[in-house]
Amino acid sequence: MTYLLDTHIIMWTLFNRNNLSSKAVKVFSDMKNQFYYSIASVWEIAIKHRKHPRQITRSGVEFLHYCEAMGFNKLEINDRHICALETLEQKENSPDHDDPFDRILLAQAKGEGMMLMTHDKKFLTYDEPYVFTV
């Protein structure tokens, strides 16, 4: 299976493995699985580090290097992802999910036919089969 990792899953994998559920650990332990990080996650970390350096202590560049060192594959943003962004369906009467980083990650997963591995329950408001909550 191919997984696109949500930003917080990457952070936990790199710096706080105790936050990972046993379900996530099992997925990471399966050598047949492939893992990707999005350049959008690097962008997100760079912005959050700049705004809140005491809470997000790693810069975007450091985050990028950690992802590469872990052997995660990089996923750039392309036109297919932008097109998929416009097709994301939320379940009826769901609250708006206006986090642009979350939305592009889900669109990338959809555009690539990957599973977005996340712990964020906001993704459960989508009527999309590309969300894998751990």
Side-chain angles (χ1 to χ4, degrees):
M1 179 80 60
T2 305
Y3 294 92
L4 177 60
L5 304 174
D6 197 353
T7 308
H8 67 274
I9 296 293
I10 297 169
M11 293 294 282
W12 292 350
T13 301
L14 297 172
F15 309 115
N16 195 353
R17 286 187 171 260
N18 291 335
N19 284 347
L20 291 173
S21 68
S22 58
K23 186 176 178 181
V25 171
K26 184 176 180 181
V27 170
F28 279 116
S29 299
D30 188 339
M31 300 306 284
K32 291 178 267 180
N33 292 330
Q34 294 181 342
F35 301 100
Y36 286 77
Y37 70 96
S38 171
I39 201 67
S41 292
V42 178
W43 184 13
E44 179 181 15
I45 292 298
I47 290 170
K48 290 182 177 181
H49 172 71
R50 177 115 172 124
K51 289 177 92 173
H52 308 286
R54 289 191 174 138
Q55 290 140 340
I56 307 296
T57 59
R58 291 355 188 252
S59 71
V61 171
E62 290 173 307
F63 180 81
L64 174 67
H65 291 307
Y66 286 125
C67 288
E68 291 170 346
M70 288 293 292
F72 299 150
N73 301 293
K74 180 168 53 174
L75 182 60
E76 302 284 354
I77 298 171
N78 64 43
D79 55 345
R80 184 174 57 250
H81 304 145
I82 302 304
C83 292
L85 183 65
E86 294 181 346
T87 70
L88 295 178
E89 295 288 332
Q90 282 193 277
K91 295 176 183 171
E92 192 173 329
N93 298 320
S94 292
D96 283 339
H97 184 195
D98 57 359
D99 183 323
F101 295 108
D102 285 352
R103 291 182 57 76
I104 194 63
L105 289 174
L106 181 54
Q108 285 183 290
K110 183 175 185 174
E112 298 294 329
M114 298 177 171
M115 297 303 294
L116 175 63
M117 183 190 295
T118 185
H119 188 71
D120 189 342
K121 301 296 186 234
K122 289 180 185 174
F123 283 106
L124 297 176
T125 66
Y126 287 91
D127 195 17
E128 297 288 346
Y130 305 98
V131 177
F132 181 74
T133 55
V134 293

